[in-house]
Amino acid sequence: MSEQTERSFQKQDAVFLNAKSVSKKNSRWYKDIGLGYKTPTEAIEGTYIDKKCPFTGNVSIRGRILTGVVVSTKMKRTIIVRRDYLHYIPKYNRYEKRHKNLAAHLSPAFIGVEAGDIVTVGQCRPLSKTVRFNVIKHQKKVVKGSKQFQKF
């Protein structure tokens, strides 16, 4: 509970802080989001408080699971994920490259997410005006050599 950076007191909803017997053993609440994704060790052992985190907060992952490349990490606890895809043009019998950007909440459980990393995001309830996804898995950027289309 040392992560008090906001103006209001930050605490987990499921943890009662005013217990008569002091027990630091189970003072952190976390959950398994299911779908075969493991809970990060930072979510289990960390001290951060994030009510929008799928592992320690009040958010459930349901709906679509998408992967993409991180473009921007400039916002606080929010990243921009770029999803590249190919669109077929029947007249020319060819494909063109297209992309969509989507905003996703980045929990403090994922340390060191940078631009170029591959993340898996899961759909959740609306967290803000543009954020409807939560990061559930993170893979470091793999350097392959020459310049190429990111996803394929």
Side-chain angles (χ1 to χ4, degrees):
M1 302 291 185
S2 64
E3 298 269 336
Q4 297 297 330
T5 57
E6 305 295 325
R7 293 182 74 179
S8 61
F9 183 71
Q10 302 293 306
K11 72 178 201 67
Q12 287 185 308
D13 290 335
V15 178
F16 182 64
L17 297 176
N18 295 330
K20 297 210 188 312
S21 62
V22 178
S23 164
K24 292 290 181 188
K25 232 178 237 181
N26 46 357
S27 63
R28 181 130 178 104
W29 179 84
Y30 63 92
K31 69 178 178 182
D32 180 23
I33 62 167
L35 304 169
Y37 292 99
K38 292 179 120 182
T39 304
T41 54
E42 180 63 26
I44 298 169
E45 299 168 359
T47 58
Y48 70 89
I49 307 294
D50 186 11
K51 65 180 182 179
K52 296 178 181 178
C53 173
F55 306 104
T56 62
N58 188 19
V59 176
S60 62
I61 301 297
R62 80 286 189 281
R64 298 191 178 271
I65 306 290
L66 307 172
T67 59
V69 179
V70 177
V71 176
S72 170
T73 58
K74 294 177 183 176
M75 291 179 276
K76 182 180 178 185
R77 293 187 180 178
T78 305
I79 61 172
I80 301 297
V81 179
R82 180 184 172 117
R83 302 195 65 237
D84 294 318
Y85 60 94
L86 297 174
H87 178 250
Y88 181 66
I89 308 296
K91 178 180 177 182
Y92 299 110
N93 197 20
R94 281 169 172 70
Y95 294 91
E96 66 182 3
K97 295 177 194 172
R98 288 190 178 182
H99 79 277
K100 289 274 194 249
N101 287 344
L102 63 93
H105 180 76
L106 181 66
S107 169
F110 298 103
I111 299 170
V113 176
E114 299 171 348
D117 292 353
I118 297 172
V119 292
T120 303
V121 295
Q123 190 178 10
C124 60
R125 64 176 168 82
L127 302 176
S128 70
K129 180 182 174 183
T130 57
V131 178
R132 276 104 177 94
F133 288 88
N134 234 315
V135 175
I136 55 178
K137 189 177 170 190
H138 167 239
Q139 298 170 347
K140 288 283 186 196
K141 176 167 64 169
V142 179
V143 179
K144 285 190 179 174
S146 67
K147 193 170 116 178
Q148 62 182 6
F149 193 50
Q150 285 279 345
K151 194 93 187 288
F152 303 105

